[in-house]
Amino acid sequence: MSLELFGHPFSSYTWKALIALYEAGKSFEFRNIAGNEYPENEAAFLAHWPVGKFPLLVEHGVPIMESSVIIEHVAPDLIPADRDAAREVRMLDRVFDNSVMTPVQAIVAEHLPFITNVPDEGRIARARAALDKVYPWLDDRLTGRRWAAGDSFTMADCSGAPALFYADWVQPIPKERGALCEYRAQVLARPSVARVVDEARPYRHLFPLGAPERD
Ligand SMILES: N[C@@H](CCC(=O)N[C@@H](CS)C(=O)NCC(=O)O)C(=O)O
């Protein structure tokens, strides 16, 4: 197979790339690096990308890392041709990664026993405060929009879906943030997104804070 995606089915950034691949209808081989289940996949992955961050795309032996770069490569139609519209998509993609996923990852990391046995409560509180700051901004930005960046499903939704899926688990989005809650529900119902959520169900026991009985 000339196109391989290395990743973990429960990983938010892997979801980003998978959603784009499903949207584009691309054929590819998913190389699962979950735990010790597939040691050959993990070895091949680390040989390509010793840093060890996933997802990683390998096309005809050429490694392509970073989820947004992978998306621009496999699903260019998820970026609008119009320059201003493309800027909005890329900006929201960065906001979802840097201002939503990064604090979510910080909170999750503080609850992973292989990282620490003593959660850093200060780091957790700062990450929760960061999410509380970005929720109203996103609520405002998404008001009146069908998808994150406007009328069409774009790369911004590939990042918005996993970011908000997990953000709401670690720091629930207040009900008053109606546009944000509605957007989260709507993007989770998109078939490409529902598919990654379903494929990850067997791994929910790995969520260190305890996966809620919903979604
Ligand atoms: N900027 C990277 C972030 C990737 C990332 O943080 N992936 C997480 C999994 S969701 C990871 O690799 N965690 C393992 C580690 O950091 O060693 C991207 O967009 O691909």
Side-chain angles (χ1 to χ4, degrees):
M1 173 78 60
S2 62
L3 202 60
E4 301 169 294
L5 187 79
F6 291 84
H8 190 300
F10 200 47
S11 129
S12 51
Y13 283 103
T14 303
W15 283 12
K16 249 183 87 172
L18 282 172
I19 292 165
L21 283 158
Y22 293 156
E23 288 286 335
K26 288 259 168 162
S27 299
F28 65 99
E29 182 187 356
F30 183 66
R31 298 197 59 183
N32 193 336
I33 54 167
N36 299 322
E37 284 176 72
Y38 310 94
E40 69 287 358
N41 287 351
E42 187 163 18
F45 163 62
L46 290 174
H48 282 297
W49 187 216
V51 166
K53 291 232 181 249
F54 41 94
L56 172 76
L57 187 78
V58 179
E59 187 179 49
H60 301 297
V62 177
I64 301 171
M65 54 286 288
E66 290 296 328
S67 55
S68 304
V69 178
I70 292 171
I71 292 176
E72 297 225 18
H73 183 67
V74 298
D77 290 350
L78 293 179
I79 319 293
D82 177 79
R83 218 178 134 92
D84 290 342
R87 186 195 61 232
E88 180 73 7
V89 166
R90 292 194 177 98
M91 186 180 77
L92 278 160
D93 172 64
R94 297 296 77 231
V95 169
F96 282 126
D97 280 12
N98 295 328
S99 301
V100 182
M101 265 325 296
T102 298
V104 169
Q105 281 183 322
I107 296 168
V108 169
E110 290 303 323
H111 291 86
L112 288 172
F114 60 85
I115 293 183
T116 180
N117 284 319
V118 187
D120 178 341
E121 296 299 339
R123 185 182 184 209
I124 293 170
R126 285 192 298 280
R128 290 192 187 284
L131 289 171
D132 286 342
K133 269 195 244 176
V134 78
Y135 287 164
W137 186 89
L138 282 169
D139 189 45
D140 231 43
R141 198 79 176 191
L142 296 175
T143 298
R145 289 187 180 178
R146 176 169 166 74
W147 298 110
D151 291 338
S152 310
F153 188 96
T154 65
M155 175 168 73
D157 300 292
C158 299
S159 41
L164 294 175
F165 177 88
Y166 286 111
D168 192 49
W169 280 16
V170 304
Q171 181 74 353
I173 300 167
K175 294 280 171 288
E176 311 81 73
R177 302 296 168 202
L180 186 53
C181 293
E182 208 175 293
Y183 170 73
R184 182 180 184 274
Q186 160 129 325
V187 80
L188 292 187
R190 179 94 176 178
S192 59
V193 177
R195 183 172 169 186
V196 296
V197 171
D198 282 341
E199 288 168 349
R201 285 187 196 280
Y203 297 91
R204 284 194 177 191
H205 63 279
L206 297 176
F207 195 70
L209 295 123
E213 298 284 323
R214 55 180 170 87
D215 298 320

